[in-house]
Structures are given as C-alpha cells and as structure tokens.
Amino acid sequence: ARCKTAWENYKILMLLHKIRRTGVKNHGICISPLYLADQNVQEHSYLVATLAVMMYAMFEEIQEYFPPHYVETLLLHDIGETKIGDIADDGAADAVIHKDEEEYVFLSDFVNDFAPEIRDDIMANFSQFQKKHDILYMIDKLEWILFVAYLTPSGDAGSLNYKESHTGLTKQDKHAIEATGGSYRTVDAMVVHFLEHTHGIEGREIFMGLIKAVYMDIDGYIPDFVGKLY
C-alpha cells in the first residue's frame, strides 16, 4: 500500500512544474526586453528549500530557529497548489484564507503515510508557516526578492506598471509605491512587503543584511526606504 501511495504522490509532485507562479506572471518580470521570465511552483519550492539549507549552513547564529524537518516542509509547502492553483498573497483575503485551508488539508493527506514523527513535524511546521510569522515564511518571501533581483540586475525590468496595465494594482501595491517614495519596481514592492510582515521574527537581521547586499549589487546603494521601514 505504501508503494502505491509513493507512486501516487510522485505523480502529484510532477504536476508542480505545470503551475506558473502568479506573481511572476502579474508583474511581467523580464529576463530581457523581449522575453518574459517564468517560474513554476516546482522551481520555487526547490529554491526555497535550498536557500533555507544555505542560510542554515552559513549562519550558525540562526540555526536554533529552524524547526526539525524544515527542508521537507519547504519542499512540500506548495503541494496543495496542484489542486487549487497559485493565489498571490495580495489576493482577496477570503481567497487567501480558503487557499490556506485547502493547502493544509491537501498536505495532510499527502504526508499521511509518512513516518509519524516526520509527518507530525511537517504539519506543525506548515501550520506555523501559514501564520506568516516564522523563519520558514521569511525564507519563502526572501526567495521572491532574490528571484526578481537576479533576473533584473538593473532593478528596472518587471514593474508595477506592467501589473497596473494588465491586472490592476492592489491596495498592497499602492501602499508599496507610497512607502518607497513612488517606486514602481517589483523588487522594491517585495522588499516593502517583506519588511512590514516580518517584524519580530527571530533571525530577521541576517535576512536584512542579505537584502542590503542585494541592493548594493543591483543599485550600488541601499535605498532610504529600507531604513524607514526597518
């Protein structure tokens, strides 16, 4: 029975690469002026998990904040999107709540035949992740910032201008524009979201250091709004 379940689970995993991440699509993030970037959920899950491994291995001072089986949790944290698709964090509140409930149930079913200790750790980690106030949530949001910054080294391509003309701006988008003094850059908007939603999470100062390093690389300076929102 477990072998059959493993095969069925594998088929679910293979669906992740077919799901395009909403944020990448909505912001029109470009690799070049003629080529829109893409990121599927399978790529995102891998990048988040390996980013977590890197952060754990490089920064001994934050290791205590990583829960048991954090890698497994991050690899599977979006598995529910194979059923309900990807809904951005800036979607309607009721849609996000429904998404969280559906994802929790789907993940619970997926890990049901895992060893009890591993299964229980993953579900406890995921429950905490969904509260948006732990180091795994912070890593998930950091990966989005790094993805945008890597694909748009000038910091210019991929903007709220594109989103405004295609899907319209959300309240969160408009707030980010105001908070940054008028910037329409996606990377700036994502940093605003990160800064305002990670206050009080242990280990945050290390992540702030990485964000500042990103700005020094793409702009050569750290924008003033980072200090204001810090």
Side-chain angles (χ1 to χ4, degrees), residues 8-223:
E8 295 301 322
N9 280 358
Y10 180 81
K11 289 191 285 185
I12 293 172
L13 291 173
M14 287 298 292
L15 297 175
L16 286 172
H17 81 278
K18 297 181 179 181
I19 305 169
R20 188 179 180 189
R21 295 198 71 211
T22 304
V24 178
K25 177 180 66 175
N26 287 351
H27 289 87
I29 295 168
C30 300
I31 294 176
S32 72
L34 298 177
Y35 179 60
L36 286 176
D38 202 357
Q39 186 191 51
N40 62 57
V41 175
Q42 188 175 67
E43 292 171 325
H44 166 68
S45 299
Y46 170 79
L47 288 170
V48 170
T50 51
L51 176 60
V53 170
M54 182 179 71
M55 297 295 285
Y56 181 90
M58 292 183 67
F59 300 99
E60 187 175 349
E61 59 268 44
I62 61 174
Q63 288 179 355
E64 63 181 293
Y65 307 129
F66 285 79
H69 300 294
Y70 70 89
V71 177
E72 293 93 327
T73 303
L74 291 175
L75 284 171
L76 298 174
H77 79 284
D78 278 337
I79 195 72
E81 292 184 2
T82 59
K83 178 181 179 182
I84 62 175
D86 182 46
I87 301 174
D89 275 353
D90 58 5
D94 57 347
V96 174
I97 292 171
H98 177 70
K99 175 181 186 284
D100 286 349
E101 293 172 348
E102 289 280 317
E103 286 194 313
Y104 186 90
V105 171
F106 195 90
L107 177 61
S108 180
D109 289 341
F110 187 91
V111 301
N112 186 59
D113 285 341
F114 284 24
E117 180 183 352
I118 299 174
R119 178 194 65 214
D120 293 347
D121 281 346
I122 289 174
M123 294 312 302
N125 294 346
F126 188 65
S127 179
Q128 192 65 27
F129 175 89
Q130 288 192 317
K131 295 176 183 177
K132 307 184 189 307
H133 201 74
D134 75 332
I135 198 166
L136 302 189
Y137 170 79
M138 196 157 52
I139 291 171
D140 181 64
K141 298 304 136 191
L142 179 66
E143 191 277 324
W144 178 213
I145 294 170
L146 301 186
F147 177 79
V148 174
Y150 175 77
L151 288 183
T152 60
S154 69
D156 297 326
S159 74
L160 296 179
N161 287 313
Y162 182 96
K163 187 175 184 183
E164 186 173 29
S165 63
H166 286 74
T167 63
L169 297 179
T170 64
K171 289 182 180 179
Q172 179 177 299
D173 296 327
K174 294 174 182 177
H175 169 69
I177 293 169
E178 181 180 357
T180 57
S183 172
Y184 272 68
R185 295 196 312 177
T186 297
V187 65
D188 294 340
M190 295 304 103
V191 168
V192 169
H193 180 76
F194 179 91
L195 294 175
E196 295 191 339
H197 290 80
T198 59
H199 281 291
I201 299 180
E202 294 166 313
R204 183 175 185 265
E205 65 280 357
I206 296 296
F207 291 76
M208 283 299 306
L210 182 48
I211 289 171
K212 290 176 180 178
V214 167
Y215 273 117
M216 289 302 297
D217 185 46
I218 64 174
D219 291 336
Y221 64 93
I222 299 169

